[in-house]
Amino acid sequence: MTFKELKLHEDVLQGLDAMGFEKPTPIQEQSIPIIIDNKDIIAVAQTGTGKTAAFLLPVLHKISEQQIEEGQINTLVISPTRELAVQIDQQLEGLGYFTIATSMPVYGGGDGDGFSREKRALEDGAHIIVGTPGKLISHLNLGYAKIDNLKHLILDEADRMLDMGFYDDIMKIINQLPKERQTIMFSATMPPKIRKLAKDILTDPEEISIAISKPAEKVVQAAFLAYDGQKIELVKYLLRDNDVPSLIIFASTKLKVKQLTRELQKQGLNAKPISSDLEQSERESILNEFKSKKLQILVATDVISRGIDIDNIDMVINYDVPNDPEDYIHRIGRTARASSEGEAVTFINEDDQYKFSRIEDLIEREIRKVKMPAEIGDGPEYNPKKRGGGRRNYGRRKGGGNRKR
Ligand code: ADP
Ligand code: MG
């Protein structure tokens, strides 16, 4: 299947050509016709499968085809984080370059100038607005946004939005929008709460789901059984023996990210942290350094594991095992995007073994356990199902009176 066969407008095809997209990904192939057909849709596909273009292309197509004039906001895209909003906007600029479509990102942070620029775009009715929930609400509450003629509402990374507690905000926004509109939801996973949201806000939707909960096939996955005290040495070992220009190390808490970055820096490694603790401008400049390969190692929490689009990452290290098995898939989805190959390495200490076995259950695959290098010494034995392993910390309080029911 080609983009041309999807009958996209000539101006959109030119943008695709300039972006170097040769053929549609499966999620694009399936959702583009439905969106062009003005039907509501819930589309689920794992991270890195091209969901952004799957919703941008048909919208750009319709704006081009109908020669819609500026003056009324045509499409509102809601995204959970600023980083994602920026990325969607960047892809929009690329794909829409040869079209008449205008757009504006609307996300928190920034100064008064930023706010008035956003306000102007909303007043003038730019075709496509991409924003985060909180910032969109502040603008909508002030009443100048030209939304009476809104045709498309798009929720991107819907599962992430709910994880971040945006349900009420989404509803507040929807309440201000015209009822006659097409609503489009994209998500990496389909937990019950996403099903419920879809039921609440979509009308008679088409449903598409592609290979949920399976990591991208080109990711080489491996795990080391390591005590916490061996992990830094293991990072250094992996960097010495492999050519790794770009590495993301994931840790589960902001505090760990901070400590680990400091430790890596002390060892002379080129590492910086990214977490929700940082100012927006700091986060952007670190991301840019990383993307331009000036920064080798990005240390991150799961906040950025979903949806952040950074190309050509050579390796992802899970410094600890993520609590939510779905997060494992998101984390390793950072590597081997679209067409490259990538490696994902997970460090498993004695307490994380049970959690890790749940990931293996989810992806229905056993992940290779690699022997610790001799110079670092043996790690713990792998015994995930043994009681007292990973479960030790859960719900076995003395007296048992405190258990959640
Ligand atoms: P998702 O939202 O599903 O996680 P993205 O939309 O961020 O994925 O896309 C992942 C990467 O794949 C991006 O770098 C994007 O530019 C690229 N990409 C998307 N569609 C195509 C395509 N049809 N051909 C080549 N690359 C693509
Ligand atoms: Mg996405």
PDB file of all heavy atoms in Angstrom, residues 19 22 46 55 104 247 263 332 382:
ATOM      1  N   MET A  19       9.458  14.477   4.012  1.00  0.00           N
ATOM      2  CA  MET A  19       9.783  13.850   5.299  1.00  0.00           C
ATOM      3  C   MET A  19      10.451  12.480   5.101  1.00  0.00           C
ATOM      4  O   MET A  19      10.919  11.877   6.058  1.00  0.00           O
ATOM      5  CB  MET A  19       8.509  13.624   6.121  1.00  0.00           C
ATOM      6  CG  MET A  19       7.801  14.871   6.568  1.00  0.00           C
ATOM      7  SD  MET A  19       8.512  15.591   8.055  1.00  0.00           S
ATOM      8  CE  MET A  19       7.818  14.527   9.336  1.00  0.00           C
ATOM      9  N   GLU A  22       8.033   6.657   3.074  1.00  0.00           N
ATOM     10  CA  GLU A  22       7.780   6.020   1.781  1.00  0.00           C
ATOM     11  C   GLU A  22       6.441   5.310   1.701  1.00  0.00           C
ATOM     12  O   GLU A  22       5.736   5.389   0.719  1.00  0.00           O
ATOM     13  CB  GLU A  22       8.929   5.078   1.425  1.00  0.00           C
ATOM     14  CG  GLU A  22      10.122   5.884   0.936  1.00  0.00           C
ATOM     15  CD  GLU A  22      11.387   5.071   0.847  1.00  0.00           C
ATOM     16  OE1 GLU A  22      11.318   3.836   0.994  1.00  0.00           O
ATOM     17  OE2 GLU A  22      12.452   5.690   0.644  1.00  0.00           O
ATOM     18  N   GLN A  46       1.128   0.099  19.510  1.00  0.00           N
ATOM     19  CA  GLN A  46       2.221   0.360  20.429  1.00  0.00           C
ATOM     20  C   GLN A  46       3.010   1.606  20.028  1.00  0.00           C
ATOM     21  O   GLN A  46       2.884   2.120  18.920  1.00  0.00           O
ATOM     22  CB  GLN A  46       3.144  -0.849  20.496  1.00  0.00           C
ATOM     23  CG  GLN A  46       3.963  -1.024  19.238  1.00  0.00           C
ATOM     24  CD  GLN A  46       4.686  -2.362  19.236  1.00  0.00           C
ATOM     25  OE1 GLN A  46       4.074  -3.411  19.110  1.00  0.00           O
ATOM     26  NE2 GLN A  46       5.982  -2.319  19.374  1.00  0.00           N
ATOM     27  N   PHE A  55      -3.079  10.404  12.494  1.00  0.00           N
ATOM     28  CA  PHE A  55      -4.184  11.360  12.631  1.00  0.00           C
ATOM     29  C   PHE A  55      -3.915  12.682  11.923  1.00  0.00           C
ATOM     30  O   PHE A  55      -4.836  13.355  11.491  1.00  0.00           O
ATOM     31  CB  PHE A  55      -4.605  11.556  14.092  1.00  0.00           C
ATOM     32  CG  PHE A  55      -3.561  12.085  15.038  1.00  0.00           C
ATOM     33  CD1 PHE A  55      -3.210  13.425  15.047  1.00  0.00           C
ATOM     34  CD2 PHE A  55      -2.954  11.238  15.967  1.00  0.00           C
ATOM     35  CE1 PHE A  55      -2.262  13.910  15.953  1.00  0.00           C
ATOM     36  CE2 PHE A  55      -1.999  11.708  16.870  1.00  0.00           C
ATOM     37  CZ  PHE A  55      -1.658  13.062  16.857  1.00  0.00           C
ATOM     38  N   MET A 104      -0.737  25.937  15.645  1.00  0.00           N
ATOM     39  CA  MET A 104      -0.113  26.575  16.797  1.00  0.00           C
ATOM     40  C   MET A 104      -0.065  25.597  17.958  1.00  0.00           C
ATOM     41  O   MET A 104      -1.066  24.978  18.286  1.00  0.00           O
ATOM     42  CB  MET A 104      -0.946  27.798  17.196  1.00  0.00           C
ATOM     43  CG  MET A 104      -0.305  28.616  18.287  1.00  0.00           C
ATOM     44  SD  MET A 104       1.175  29.432  17.628  1.00  0.00           S
ATOM     45  CE  MET A 104       1.489  30.587  18.884  1.00  0.00           C
ATOM     46  N   LEU A 247      22.174   6.723  24.357  1.00  0.00           N
ATOM     47  CA  LEU A 247      21.657   5.764  25.336  1.00  0.00           C
ATOM     48  C   LEU A 247      20.637   6.463  26.229  1.00  0.00           C
ATOM     49  O   LEU A 247      20.883   7.574  26.693  1.00  0.00           O
ATOM     50  CB  LEU A 247      22.829   5.264  26.182  1.00  0.00           C
ATOM     51  CG  LEU A 247      22.535   4.539  27.486  1.00  0.00           C
ATOM     52  CD1 LEU A 247      21.897   3.185  27.214  1.00  0.00           C
ATOM     53  CD2 LEU A 247      23.816   4.341  28.298  1.00  0.00           C
ATOM     54  N   GLU A 263      25.976  10.093  39.838  1.00  0.00           N
ATOM     55  CA  GLU A 263      26.950   9.000  39.891  1.00  0.00           C
ATOM     56  C   GLU A 263      27.642   8.796  38.538  1.00  0.00           C
ATOM     57  O   GLU A 263      28.855   8.661  38.462  1.00  0.00           O
ATOM     58  CB  GLU A 263      26.215   7.724  40.329  1.00  0.00           C
ATOM     59  CG  GLU A 263      27.077   6.565  40.730  1.00  0.00           C
ATOM     60  CD  GLU A 263      27.981   6.901  41.908  1.00  0.00           C
ATOM     61  OE1 GLU A 263      27.562   7.654  42.817  1.00  0.00           O
ATOM     62  OE2 GLU A 263      29.122   6.413  41.886  1.00  0.00           O
ATOM     63  N   ILE A 332      11.164   0.442  26.064  1.00  0.00           N
ATOM     64  CA  ILE A 332      12.021  -0.108  25.017  1.00  0.00           C
ATOM     65  C   ILE A 332      11.558   0.316  23.635  1.00  0.00           C
ATOM     66  O   ILE A 332      12.296   0.205  22.669  1.00  0.00           O
ATOM     67  CB  ILE A 332      12.181  -1.642  25.109  1.00  0.00           C
ATOM     68  CG1 ILE A 332      10.931  -2.357  24.640  1.00  0.00           C
ATOM     69  CG2 ILE A 332      12.521  -2.079  26.525  1.00  0.00           C
ATOM     70  CD1 ILE A 332      11.175  -3.840  24.511  1.00  0.00           C
ATOM     71  N   TYR A 382      18.410 -16.286  39.538  1.00  0.00           N
ATOM     72  CA  TYR A 382      17.070 -15.946  39.024  1.00  0.00           C
ATOM     73  C   TYR A 382      16.067 -16.958  39.512  1.00  0.00           C
ATOM     74  O   TYR A 382      16.150 -18.147  39.199  1.00  0.00           O
ATOM     75  CB  TYR A 382      17.082 -15.912  37.500  1.00  0.00           C
ATOM     76  CG  TYR A 382      15.821 -15.313  36.919  1.00  0.00           C
ATOM     77  CD1 TYR A 382      15.371 -14.044  37.325  1.00  0.00           C
ATOM     78  CD2 TYR A 382      15.060 -15.996  35.970  1.00  0.00           C
ATOM     79  CE1 TYR A 382      14.218 -13.481  36.796  1.00  0.00           C
ATOM     80  CE2 TYR A 382      13.899 -15.429  35.431  1.00  0.00           C
ATOM     81  CZ  TYR A 382      13.487 -14.173  35.851  1.00  0.00           C
ATOM     82  OH  TYR A 382      12.349 -13.616  35.322  1.00  0.00           O
TER      83      TYR A 382
END
